[in-house]
Amino acid sequence: MDFPKEVRINEMVLRDGLQLEKKILTVEEKKLLFSSLKDAGVKSFEFGSFVHPKLVPQMATSGELFEEIAGEAVNLVALVPNLKGAERAKEFGVEQINFVFSASDTHNMQNVHKTTEQSIAELKEINDFCNQNHIVLNTTIATTFGCPFEGEIPEERILAIINQLLDFTIHQLSLADTTGMANPKQVYELLTEVKAAFPEQNLNLHFHNTRGMGLANILAGLQAGVTSFDAALGGLGGCPFAPGATGNVCTEDVVHMLQCMGIRTDIRLDGLLEASALLETIIGHPNNSYLLKAGPYDRKYAVPISQ
Ligand code: ZN
């Protein structure tokens, strides 16, 4: 099996990671986390979202945070659920946005009170807005691998949705497993089909580890030729509009797995572990990182001295 030599990791802790946390972090605390991750070599961040602050109060300071970190030489992406969000992002000078809608009508109704078709119609307006304002547009199809209300989403539906997106200037398309329903066989088969049908599309995968299949799904994505993945420090995160949602795949566990396999990410594991420990201090509870507990695979212990 040929694996890619290099993989890109998009750090989600400041957006997906914090949006289910009870504690609402200050801009200063978010900035500390950002700096710690940047020092570890992270170059791509989804730093916040422009959603209604009453719906997701954890994200209310996204614009202020952007103003604090905008000068840094890293990729900064803001999630937007609609045109209004894109307009808000522009007011703060955000240069790259990620428009999210769901493949499942029911989840999309819960999230943004629109059907999938209505969100794709809005994407046309957002696409025009981004082109006029020189904003890079990414798009995420949530619930690609399953919906907590509708169950399985047929592959044909995903392919048909992607086909509709060809009219737009989408820099990166993410397929998201919003509530951890994906399995490795499904990921491999769907991504093999998507890559064959849309060879020009820049693809990214977004997994949640809700049922412990996150790393296995990343492996399946790698086997299908995908080289870009979302992950969140400490495995934090979850969708506020999906029952039973839990964290993203954990960045330090993903980077560690890739490093063990000889795949480059340009992220330093020891730096990530420092950021992970800082995260626990800031949120005030343990996170979901295996690596923070166990250390890297080559950690060696002193042999116990027997009496
Ligand atoms: Zn997510």
Side-chain angles (χ1 to χ4, degrees), residues 12 15-16 19 176-178 206-208 238-239 248:
M12 306 298 282
R15 201 277 300 166
D16 208 339
Q19 67 185 12
D177 182 26
T178 311
H206 178 103
F207 293 118
H208 282 257
C239 171
N248 286 252

Side-chain angles (χ1 to χ4, degrees), residues 77-78 80 86 89 94-99 126 130 135-138:
V77 183
V80 304
V94 173
E95 293 169 342
Q96 190 164 354
I97 62 169
N98 177 22
F99 172 65
I126 295 172
C130 286
I135 294 172
V136 177
L137 172 63
N138 297 337

